[in-house]
Amino acid sequence: MAGGDFDGSTNSDFDLFVSWSDGELTIYEDVGARGLGKENQLKGPNGTWKHARVIAPGEFGGNLWEDDVFVRWSDGEVSVYGNTQADALGREYQLVPPG
């Protein structure tokens, strides 16, 4: 799990990016004192995302939102998914090839 800002709103709210043990990816919008907000499934259960070891969202692109998702995979590969949205995983860029 990791926090970021994937819904594109200008509010200072944060969203929760979850990679489940079965490989499903989910974003919950506007997490706050009242609990989780709207649930968005980015990917259904799959074998690829079971290999994600470290997930770190941040603001590394050209916009003002923490919507870029860095992933370190079990084989040593490092990828970034730029401009991830609450309802869509961003484009993958490989930064470090597999080990």
Side-chain angles (χ1 to χ4, degrees):
M1 291 189 295
D5 191 4
F6 302 104
D7 63 6
S9 71
T10 57
N11 301 330
S12 57
D13 58 5
F14 284 93
D15 310 309
L16 186 63
F17 184 101
V18 181
S19 175
W20 299 96
S21 61
D22 64 1
E24 178 183 339
L25 298 182
T26 306
I27 288 181
Y28 295 93
E29 295 182 48
D30 304 328
V31 175
R34 295 183 184 170
L36 300 175
K38 179 181 175 189
E39 177 181 1
N40 299 292
Q41 184 185 58
L42 302 183
K43 295 240 181 231
N46 66 84
T48 301
W49 280 85
K50 288 181 179 183
H51 296 281
R53 296 296 178 253
V54 177
I55 297 172
E59 182 185 331
F60 304 104
N63 62 29
L64 302 176
W65 297 280
E66 295 177 358
D67 63 357
D68 303 308
V69 179
F70 280 82
V71 181
R72 184 183 179 283
W73 301 97
S74 60
D75 63 0
E77 178 182 353
V78 177
S79 300
V80 63
Y81 292 84
N83 297 321
T84 293
Q85 301 299 305
D87 60 356
L89 191 62
R91 179 177 171 201
E92 179 182 11
Y93 299 91
Q94 184 184 68
L95 302 178
V96 177

